[in-house]
Amino acid sequence: MLLKGKNAIVTGASRGIGKAIAIKLAKEGANIAINYSVNDNAALEVANVVEKLGVKAIVKKADVSKLSEVEGFVNTVLNELGSIDILVNNAGITRDNLLIRMSEDDFDQVMQINLKGVFNFTKTVSRVMIKQRTGKIINISSVVGITGNAGQSNYAASKSAVIGFTKSIAKELASRYINVNAIAPGFIETDMTSVIPEKMKEQMKAAIPLKRPGKPEDVANAVLFLAGNQSDYITGQVINIDGGMLI
C-alpha cells in the first residue's frame, strides 16, 4: 500500500470528486478525515466505505470558510490520529450567472468556500506539517481557472486564485519539505456538472480530444500520485485532468 499509516484530510468529501479521493487514498492505506458541510448521511456512507477498507475514518462537519470551525476540525484529527500527512482542499461550490445578473452574495459565497476555505485549511494544517517537516498539500482548482468561462466569473476567479495561492505557498513551505500542488479538472461527471443542459454537454464533449467526460476517479488517481512518495520532487505545479481540453 502506497500510503499505509498516513493520515489524510479531504474537504468536501461526502460526494463527487471528494468522495472518490477519500476512497482512493483509503484503498492505499491512509486513514481519512472526512470534512463536509451539509449531508450527514452521505458523509457517514463514505466513512463506512473507508472503514471497510481497513483504515480509520473521522467524520466531522465544518464550514471551510470559517477559520474557527477549521481549527476545531484539525484539532479533532490531531487528537484522534496524532498527525496529518496529506491535505486535499477539494470543497467547492458554484453560483453561476452572467456578471450583470450576478448578486454580490453569489460572488462572495463562491470566494468564501473556494478560496478562503483553501486558505483556512492550508494555514491551519501547515503549522502541523512544519513541525513534522513533511507533508503533501493538494488543491483542487479547475481548467476554468486557467481559461475563464462565460457565466462563471466568480468560480473562474476563485479557481484561478487557488492556482496562484498554490504556487506561492509551495515556495514558502518547500524548505520544510512540504509539497504543494494543484489539480485542474476539466469536464468531470459529478452532481455539480449534472445540471448542465444536454446540448451544452455534447458541445463540451466534442471539444475534448478523448471525446468523453472524466470521472471522479480520474482526478483521484492524480491526487494519489501527488500524495505519495513518487511526487517528492514535484511542487508548485498544476496538473490538468481534462482529456486534452487545453491542448
Side-chain angles (χ1 to χ4, degrees), residues 9 71 74-75 77-78 82-86 121-135 137 173 176 178:
I9 291 174
E71 290 174 337
V74 171
N75 285 335
V77 175
L78 286 174
S83 66
I84 300 170
D85 305 292
I86 302 158
F121 258 101
T122 303
K123 178 181 175 69
T124 305
V125 171
S126 65
R127 291 170 175 160
V128 178
M129 291 181 171
I130 286 170
K131 291 179 181 178
Q132 297 172 173
R133 295 186 69 80
T134 185
I137 299 173
L173 298 181
R176 303 302 179 95
I178 299 168

Side-chain angles (χ1 to χ4, degrees), residues 18 21 30 39 64 70 88-89 97 114 119 172 207 212 229 244:
I21 291 169
N39 195 325
V64 300
V70 169
V88 184
N89 284 307
N97 218 328
N114 297 6
F119 165 81
E172 291 185 21
R212 68 169 179 85
N229 293 336

Side-chain angles (χ1 to χ4, degrees), residues 1-10 13 18-34 46-58 77 80-81 83-88 129 136 138 220 223-229:
M1 290 186 176
L2 296 175
L3 303 176
K4 186 175 182 179
K6 300 290 187 180
N7 302 317
I9 291 174
V10 183
K19 176 180 178 180
I21 291 169
I23 293 171
K24 175 66 69 174
L25 300 184
K27 284 180 178 178
E28 292 297 333
N31 302 310
I32 308 295
I34 298 164
V46 176
N48 185 50
V49 174
V50 165
E51 289 176 338
K52 285 181 177 179
L53 293 169
V55 297
K56 296 179 182 178
I58 296 172
V77 175
E80 296 194 28
L81 299 180
S83 66
I84 300 170
D85 305 292
I86 302 158
L87 168 64
V88 184
M129 291 181 171
K136 299 293 181 75
I138 301 128
V223 171
L224 174 61
F225 169 70
L226 291 175
N229 293 336

Side-chain angles (χ1 to χ4, degrees), residues 19-218:
K19 176 180 178 180
I21 291 169
I23 293 171
K24 175 66 69 174
L25 300 184
K27 284 180 178 178
E28 292 297 333
N31 302 310
I32 308 295
I34 298 164
N35 159 261
Y36 73 104
S37 62
V38 178
N39 195 325
D40 297 333
N41 290 332
L44 290 171
E45 287 175 7
V46 176
N48 185 50
V49 174
V50 165
E51 289 176 338
K52 285 181 177 179
L53 293 169
V55 297
K56 296 179 182 178
I58 296 172
V59 183
K60 185 175 175 62
K61 182 183 290 187
D63 183 341
V64 300
S65 71
K66 297 179 179 177
L67 182 58
S68 61
E69 293 190 24
V70 169
E71 290 174 337
F73 184 97
V74 171
N75 285 335
T76 296
V77 175
L78 286 174
N79 288 336
E80 296 194 28
L81 299 180
S83 66
I84 300 170
D85 305 292
I86 302 158
L87 168 64
V88 184
N89 284 307
N90 166 76
I93 63 170
T94 57
R95 295 289 186 272
D96 297 348
N97 218 328
L98 295 174
L99 177 62
I100 59 174
R101 297 175 185 167
M102 185 179 293
S103 70
E104 182 180 6
D105 188 54
D106 283 345
F107 184 87
D108 289 345
Q109 281 189 41
V110 168
M111 297 301 287
Q112 286 288 313
I113 299 296
N114 297 6
L115 179 57
K116 191 181 178 187
V118 174
F119 165 81
N120 284 340
F121 258 101
T122 303
K123 178 181 175 69
T124 305
V125 171
S126 65
R127 291 170 175 160
V128 178
M129 291 181 171
I130 286 170
K131 291 179 181 178
Q132 297 172 173
R133 295 186 69 80
T134 185
K136 299 293 181 75
I137 299 173
I138 301 128
N139 299 324
I140 306 302
S141 179
S142 169
V143 295
V144 172
I146 300 170
T147 65
N149 194 35
Q152 288 192 305
S153 59
N154 51 356
Y155 184 76
S158 69
K159 292 300 187 178
S160 180
V162 166
I163 291 174
F165 181 85
T166 297
K167 291 179 178 291
S168 299
I169 302 307
K171 290 183 177 182
E172 291 185 21
L173 298 181
S175 64
R176 303 302 179 95
Y177 307 103
I178 299 168
N179 302 68
V180 187
N181 292 289
I183 290 173
F187 178 25
I188 308 295
E189 289 184 326
T190 64
D191 291 344
M192 189 178 289
T193 58
S194 66
V195 299
I196 298 173
E198 285 302 318
K199 184 177 181 180
M200 187 176 294
K201 285 182 182 179
E202 291 304 316
Q203 292 174 344
M204 294 171 71
K205 290 178 187 177
I208 300 171
L210 290 182
K211 300 303 179 186
R212 68 169 179 85
K215 299 177 180 179
E217 290 75 17
D218 293 319

